[in-house]
Amino acid sequence: MTATAPKQQENPLAEGLALRRTPDPCALVIFGASGDLNHKKLMPALYALAVRRLLPQRFAIVGVARTEGDDESFRQDMEAAVKQHARDEFRQDTWDELAPQLHYLSTDFADTSGEDKVHDLLEKLDEDEELGGNRVFYLAVPPPAFPTIVEALGKRRDDRGWTRLVVEKPFGHDLASAQQLTATLLEYFKEEEIFRIDHYLGKETVQNMLALRFANGIFEPIWNRQFVDHVQITVAESIGIEARAGYYEHAGAIRDIFQNHLLQLLALTAMEPPIDFTSDSVHNEKVKVLRALHTPGPKSVVRGQYGRGFVEGEEAVAYREEAGVAADSVTDTYVAAKLYVDNWRWADTPFYVRMGKRLARHETTIAIQFKAAPHPPFEEAASEGLRPNVLVVHVQPDEGVSLAIGAKVPGQGMTIRTVHMDFLYGGAFRTGMPEAYERLILDTMLGDSTLFTRADEVEEQWLLVDSIVAAWQRDKPAFPNYPAGSWGPPSADELLHRDGRSWRRH
Ligand code: BG6
């Protein structure tokens, strides 16, 4: 026996990503490299992957944008972005290994020499770094630029390595434009080469919804209309629209969050168990849910826009006072709806959903509210503090799952109160949460599209949004109708009160 204490066992679940294979050598070309997304999300995610040694050994990142610059200035810019936004501490040795893999091309794709420049650089990198012609093209540019770039890339395709195209949201503005965009992409790329990002699917807690449901025997039998009273999904943000008025004025909460993130959360909550965890099996089940969604009538949808108020103690201006927003804007910054999934599992079970900017708190949750016990044998007064069981998936922040159950208050007599059984990621796995983009970028390199949205899903999502928006054209809403820092318009509360229910307390 040695006197030294045994080395603590590493938690094998702490770094799930480390258990996967490393992608093939490849070049990742980021269009829109001078933009916010690259600075705040993509580069910090690539750095996190570098820290964990998950990037391919032979690898190149090519930034493409209109902004003037060269390799050197791009590397400096990206170093600053990593220092500011990465979740890991800055490590000079990791950066020194990564930086030489970064290259930059200043070009405008509207001018045809742009595609030649990209093509020539990729050829050179293929040769110098032996990348085998494998490419991930990442479109982090505004949608009007998509077709020009896609066409230019498509025309110069060769069959040497594999090619993948990553498309950021928004994927269209309505059903017709989404179909048009899909048609453009399919002219040059196959569906399995197209990766439509919905970054919520890259969040650990969102994937955990699948683990929770399908890795545990106890939930599935009660995950249906017989036992579930209703479901509540909340995507609340305390931030406003930041500097994105140009985009947001045309999108609103309905296109910005409802059409994609919210409906994906709902689909994962309501879907049938897939036969396996392959991309098609998962997509097939999700699309069935989206197809089964009943178009809500006007009384089942509430829209809102924030006025002045206080958010987390700070004064906030009204949406109509934000820079770049029209003084009489009728853009929605809040949406709540009662939705029904018309199938055997969920018939008549409401899914109440709400999402908004400038709400009281940043919080994304999925709450499964179960029916009350049929005949509790306790005196009414004793169980006043008892609420029906609720299973809450805390997507963010405080990632975890909690189950509200009734328990006896210690002492004489039989008084019952609701208590919570909590699982917190931080506590259980002793690791920081990966950012969604780490997983998603890695998956594009691995060619795994399970956590991306397929064309038919996107179309189903637009079909629903188009019908809601069409109904909105008929009348002019009285905006603003909720103060910044509140939980939304009073009509959103009424939506549930009419059914004898209320939004979860915060
Ligand atoms: C984006 C929206 O898709 O998601 C933003 O365009 C929103 O408006 C963001 O703020 C929220 O993402 P997260 O990961 O911060 O919840």
Side-chain angles (χ1 to χ4, degrees):
M1 239 175 88
T2 59
T4 49
K7 200 168 160 238
Q8 202 183 359
Q9 281 272 298
E10 285 283 317
N11 178 350
L13 297 175
E15 284 292 351
L17 284 177
L19 303 176
R20 306 177 81 206
R21 69 187 164 93
T22 321
D24 299 338
C26 64
L28 168 65
V29 188
I30 303 172
F31 295 92
S34 58
D36 252 19
L37 183 75
N38 189 33
H39 284 81
K40 292 190 179 156
K41 299 288 182 190
L42 306 186
M43 200 58 220
L46 285 160
Y47 176 76
L49 293 174
V51 168
R52 288 161 187 78
R53 305 220 156 267
L54 293 168
L55 292 174
Q57 287 227 314
R58 299 201 301 282
F59 183 50
I61 299 170
V62 179
V64 182
R66 280 187 297 197
T67 315
E68 285 295 316
D70 55 22
D71 289 358
E72 208 34 59
S73 62
F74 184 54
R75 287 169 191 167
Q76 279 168 13
D77 186 24
M78 292 298 100
E79 182 176 336
V82 165
K83 283 181 175 157
Q84 197 182 344
H85 300 292
R87 69 177 170 111
D88 301 294
E89 253 181 56
F90 186 77
R91 281 166 47 176
Q92 194 62 49
D93 53 341
T94 306
W95 182 252
D96 289 345
E97 274 179 47
L98 187 63
Q101 298 179 318
L102 265 64
H103 307 268
Y104 186 73
L105 268 183
S106 156
T107 178
D108 184 351
F109 255 67
D111 123 41
T112 45
S113 68
E115 61 202 71
D116 296 335
K117 283 197 214 164
V118 173
H119 186 260
D120 293 348
L121 177 60
L122 288 175
E123 293 263 293
K124 184 173 169 336
L125 289 171
D126 270 348
E127 226 164 84
D128 295 353
E129 313 293 334
E130 297 174 46
L131 303 180
N134 297 329
R135 275 123 208 222
V136 178
F137 295 116
Y138 199 119
L139 301 189
V141 289
F146 289 175
T148 320
I149 299 178
V150 167
E151 193 180 318
L153 295 175
K155 284 190 174 151
R156 301 297 296 255
R157 279 195 70 159
D158 56 43
D159 288 332
R160 280 186 310 129
W162 47 251
T163 299
R164 282 155 204 157
L165 182 73
V166 187
V167 190
E168 266 293 335
K169 70 176 267 251
F171 197 86
H173 184 75
D174 52 16
L175 178 60
S177 55
Q179 284 172 329
Q180 173 65 47
L181 180 54
T182 294
T184 307
L185 302 185
L186 288 177
E187 261 182 62
Y188 303 101
F189 298 89
K190 295 198 268 297
E191 176 64 32
E192 56 270 27
E193 292 175 325
I194 303 169
F195 289 70
R196 295 174 193 79
I197 292 246
D198 183 317
H199 79 278
Y200 267 54
L201 296 176
K203 290 182 191 278
E204 282 292 324
T205 35
V206 173
Q207 294 162 54
N208 189 45
M209 188 58 166
L210 298 175
L212 185 76
R213 290 191 54 196
F214 306 132
N216 296 294
I218 60 168
F219 295 121
E220 259 331 271
I222 55 169
W223 207 265
N224 55 46
R225 63 191 302 271
Q226 253 182 297
F227 294 90
V228 175
D229 179 72
H230 71 277
V231 175
Q232 291 188 19
I233 306 182
T234 301
V235 181
E237 293 186 276
S238 54
I239 55 168
I241 54 157
E242 301 185 294
R244 300 161 74 217
Y247 152 75
Y248 201 87
E249 271 283 82
H250 300 287
I254 191 97
R255 292 187 174 89
D256 187 44
I257 300 281
F258 180 92
Q259 188 270 347
N260 39 82
H261 309 325
L262 193 286
L263 288 180
Q264 285 292 324
L265 294 181
L266 189 150
L268 291 175
T269 308
M271 72 193 257
E272 295 300 315
I275 50 163
D276 54 31
F277 201 59
T278 56
S279 180
D280 267 340
S281 301
V282 174
H283 289 301
N284 289 346
E285 296 307 335
K286 278 198 293 170
V287 88
K288 278 189 215 160
V289 173
L290 295 168
R291 265 186 208 139
L293 274 174
H294 192 87
T295 304
K299 284 210 181 104
S300 296
V301 184
V302 169
R303 57 178 158 158
Q305 186 193 77
Y306 59 85
R308 288 183 190 172
F310 285 85
V311 183
E312 290 162 349
E314 301 267 323
E315 207 167 347
V317 298
Y319 176 72
R320 287 175 175 178
E321 295 168 326
E322 302 270 13
V325 171
D328 58 352
S329 171
V330 290
T331 299
D332 48 295
T333 61
Y334 177 98
V335 177
K338 175 162 74 162
L339 302 173
Y340 285 102
V341 181
D342 284 340
N343 62 17
W344 270 63
R345 188 188 280 265
W346 294 116
D348 303 325
T349 312
F351 284 69
Y352 299 102
V353 301
R354 59 178 166 167
M355 69 236 67
K357 297 266 185 207
R358 284 286 189 230
L359 296 182
R361 224 185 27 230
H362 171 221
E363 179 194 301
T364 303
T365 48
I366 303 170
I368 316 294
Q369 165 107 40
F370 293 95
K371 291 184 176 166
H375 178 69
F378 316 109
E379 282 172 32
E380 225 171 89
S383 52
E384 255 173 13
L386 181 65
R387 296 192 303 277
N389 301 115
V390 190
L391 182 75
V392 184
V393 175
H394 296 271
V395 174
Q396 61 188 22
D398 306 326
E399 291 83 356
V401 180
S402 83
L403 178 64
I405 53 171
K408 180 186 173 305
V409 177
Q412 302 302 312
M414 190 48 126
T415 309
I416 320 276
R417 227 189 56 198
T418 293
V419 295
H420 293 91
M421 278 166 61
D422 290 326
F423 144 65
L424 274 173
Y425 268 85
F429 294 110
R430 290 179 279 124
T431 176
M433 294 290 273
E435 282 285 329
Y437 277 95
E438 296 169 30
R439 172 66 191 254
L440 297 176
I441 292 175
L442 200 62
D443 281 1
T444 60
M445 296 196 249
L446 290 165
D448 182 350
S449 60
T450 313
L451 300 177
F452 295 78
T453 40
R454 208 169 57 184
D456 50 354
E457 281 174 77
V458 174
E459 290 182 8
E460 289 299 332
Q461 293 171 185
W462 278 124
L463 204 59
L464 185 68
V465 167
D466 283 0
S467 59
I468 293 175
V469 172
W472 286 356
Q473 308 306 328
R474 285 184 223 127
D475 53 9
K476 204 162 180 262
F479 283 165
N481 60 355
Y482 70 96
S486 67
W487 279 104
S491 43
D493 292 329
E494 285 152 26
L495 181 71
L496 272 72
H497 291 169
R498 282 204 300 270
D499 297 344
R501 301 184 175 106
S502 50
W503 292 108
R504 284 184 55 246
R505 271 185 282 152
H506 299 276

